[in-house]
Amino acid sequence: MREFFGIGGYKREAEGAWSWQHILQFSIFMIAMVGLAIFLGLRNKNKDLKTKNKVLIWSAFLIDGFEILKFIIIAIEDVSGLLHVLPLFLCSIQLITIPLAAFTKGRIKEICLDFVLVFGILGAVAGTIGATQNYNAYPVLSFTNIVSGITHSISGFASLYIIISRMQSMKMINAVWVFVIMIAFAIMAYVANVLIDYNYMFLMSGDGTPYDIVFNMVNGNKVLYPLLVVMLFAVYIAIFYGVYYLIANRKKIFSKKAK
C-alpha cells in the first residue's frame, strides 16, 4: 500500500508515456467516461432539471472527494508538497465549476454549466491521453496516475452529460463569462508561479506539452509566452462556441426541411 500511494517515493520504474499500460489505462477511463455519459444523459434527457442535476451533484462530490484524498496523502508525506497541487491548473478549475454548476441556481449555474461543457472534454483528454509527463514520472498503477485519471475523466463525463441531457444554455454572453473565469484563474496561477517558482496552467513554459511550440516560437519570452497561452484559451472558447452554433443551426435547418 505504501508503494501504491507512493509514500517515500515509488520504487517501481515508470512504464512511460504511450506504453501499452498507459494506452490500456486511458482507454478504460475514456470508455467508462463516454459510456456513462451517454447512458445517464439519454436516460435523463427528457426529465426535470432536479433529476438531471442529481448526476452533477454526485460528480461534484466524487471529483472533490478524490482531490481531497490526494491532498491528504501528499500532506502525510510532505505538507510543502501541497503548494504544487493547488487548484490552479487548467483542469483544476472544474473542482470549483462542477460543484457550482450542481449547487447554484440562475445565471451562475448557467455560466458554470457552459464552462464545464467547454473545458471538460479538453481537460479529460489532456489529463489522460496527453498526460505524458505523469506517465513518464510515475508507474501506471499508482495513486498519482489513477486519481488523476479519475478526476479528469469526471470532468469529461460532466461535459458530455451536460450536452447529452440538454442542461447547457450556451448563450453568447456566457462565452464572455467563461473567458473571464479563465482569465481570473490564469492571473492567480501566474502570481502563484512567480511566488513559488512553479508552472501552473503552463504559463511559464511548455514543460513537454504542445505549449512548447508556442514557447519556442517566442524564444521563451516571459511576457509574450503567457499572453499567447491566454490568447489560445480565447481562441479555443471562440471555436467551441462557433462549432456549437454551427451544429445547432444546421439541426434547426434540417428539422424545418423535415416538416
Side-chain angles (χ1 to χ4, degrees), residues 90 115 118-119 122 172 174-184 186 201 203 211 226-243:
L90 175 62
F115 187 95
V118 172
F119 282 102
L122 177 64
M172 193 58 73
N174 286 353
V176 176
W177 285 107
V178 167
F179 184 66
V180 167
I181 293 172
M182 180 59 63
I183 284 290
M201 291 181 75
L203 291 175
Y211 287 118
L227 287 176
L228 284 174
V229 170
V230 171
M231 192 180 298
L232 285 175
F233 295 150
V235 170
Y236 172 76
I237 293 169
I239 291 173
F240 194 100
Y241 269 80
V243 171

